Amino acid sequence: MGSYITVMLTQYTSEAYKLELARRHAIQSMSGVGKCYDNARMESFFATLKKEKLYRIDTTKLKREEVKKIVWRFIVYYNRRRITTMNPKGYPPAIYRELFETGLSKPAA
């Protein structure tokens, strides 16, 4: 497993890879220093979106705009209503951020 991670990291931090991204006007989601965990929170969100919403409906029978609405509604729900284990009191992300920014909550350790 360790050698696989090393190969993966060197592949995605290589100069050739960075040049190809630049050629295509793409932005690398992993930092240039090889921290493969940079995107972990987004990967977790997408996994949750799939498990809790998309895998429970047959999106092949829906129009693209209908799926976009479903995804948007889930994002609003996730950020404003869904409890989480990412902070001590289980606040949804947007609520926790608002409390943190107003000084009513301390950052999660």
Side-chain angles (χ1 to χ4, degrees), residues 7-91:
V7 169
M8 187 176 72
L9 288 176
T10 57
Q11 175 184 355
Y12 293 111
T13 59
S14 71
E15 288 302 315
Y17 182 73
K18 291 176 188 176
L19 289 172
E20 185 62 22
L21 287 173
R23 186 178 77 75
R24 295 173 183 260
H25 306 288
I27 299 171
Q28 187 172 13
S29 65
M30 183 176 76
S31 72
V33 295
K35 293 180 182 173
C36 60
Y37 305 108
D38 289 354
N39 222 12
R41 286 192 178 168
M42 286 311 302
E43 293 293 337
S44 176
F45 167 77
F46 287 124
T48 302
L49 168 65
K50 291 175 188 176
K51 284 185 287 188
E52 292 185 11
K53 186 53 84 178
L54 297 180
Y55 291 158
R56 294 175 182 222
I57 57 176
D58 185 2
T59 57
T60 62
K61 297 185 177 172
L62 300 173
K63 294 180 181 176
R64 182 181 302 215
E65 290 305 314
E66 292 173 304
V67 176
K68 282 182 176 182
K69 285 180 185 177
I70 290 168
V71 169
W72 179 252
R73 286 185 193 129
F74 184 82
I75 291 169
V76 172
Y77 159 76
Y78 184 91
N79 281 323
R80 306 285 315 166
R81 302 203 46 163
R82 184 180 181 276
I83 60 170
T84 181
T85 59
M86 295 304 294
N87 61 72
K89 294 189 178 179
Y91 293 119

